[in-house]
Amino acid sequence: MAIKEKEKKPLHLAKMNIKKGDTVLVTTGKDKGKRGTVSRALPQVNKVIIEGLNIAKKHIKPKGQTRQGGVIEKAMPIQVSNTMLICTECGEPTRVGHERRPVGADQKVRVARVCKKCHKVIEDRTRKE
Ligand SMILES: [Zn+2]
């Protein structure tokens, strides 16, 4: 997917609370109120792609014998500020804090994402245990 040049930001400025595998709630736009799983995080542009949400229809031209033409549906990126992380513990959309907590299988103290509502650690589904 092409990312517009003006949207590019230095990597060190990119900080998102939402990661691949998280469940999020969409708070604005045509998919407002819907929940979905983040299939891809794009921290360079502060956007996330959510499975099955913000679908755009894309018209594809047939290309020789290898590709059929037609309309495909593609999930487009959503501004991360238009989503809220859903806590893995209490199931509520929440803001995210960062605290040093023992997390993971080895219970090592790391900076973890913490739910502002139930104050439990939000599970990071991409972490290799
Ligand atoms: Zn919670």
Side-chain angles (χ1 to χ4, degrees):
M1 177 189 327
I3 290 166
K4 282 186 200 132
E5 202 62 38
K6 63 173 183 179
E7 288 182 338
K8 273 188 186 168
K9 284 180 190 166
L11 273 171
H12 65 272
L13 286 180
K15 237 180 198 175
M16 292 206 309
N17 290 330
I18 291 172
K19 298 176 180 181
K20 184 182 172 183
D22 287 341
T23 304
V24 294
L25 173 76
V26 179
T27 55
T28 53
K30 63 175 178 177
D31 287 319
K32 184 177 176 175
K34 291 183 185 169
R35 293 176 181 209
T37 305
V38 174
S39 59
R40 206 175 151 200
L42 306 165
Q44 296 94 329
V45 290
N46 270 310
K47 288 180 179 180
V48 288
I49 296 172
I50 305 165
E51 263 169 45
L53 293 187
N54 200 29
I55 296 294
K57 287 208 166 100
K58 213 177 166 190
H59 298 263
I60 302 283
K61 274 187 190 169
K63 209 177 191 180
Q65 304 239 309
T66 51
R67 202 172 70 183
Q68 270 199 310
V71 182
I72 58 157
E73 294 191 338
K74 196 174 190 303
M76 298 303 287
I78 297 178
Q79 281 289 341
V80 79
S81 58
N82 294 341
T83 68
M84 272 186 101
L85 182 60
I86 292 172
C87 174
T88 51
E89 290 295 326
C90 63
E92 294 290 323
T94 182
R95 287 179 300 117
V96 179
H98 290 91
E99 283 178 28
R100 293 179 63 80
R101 295 277 188 94
V103 288
D106 54 1
Q107 290 294 294
K108 198 178 164 191
V109 175
R110 298 181 176 93
V111 175
R113 297 180 300 167
V114 175
C115 172
K116 289 275 190 189
K117 285 186 177 162
C118 69
H119 304 287
K120 284 178 181 158
V121 172
I122 295 167
E123 197 186 311
D124 184 349
R125 293 192 182 105
T126 56
R127 193 192 298 283
K128 302 258 191 302
E129 300 289 4

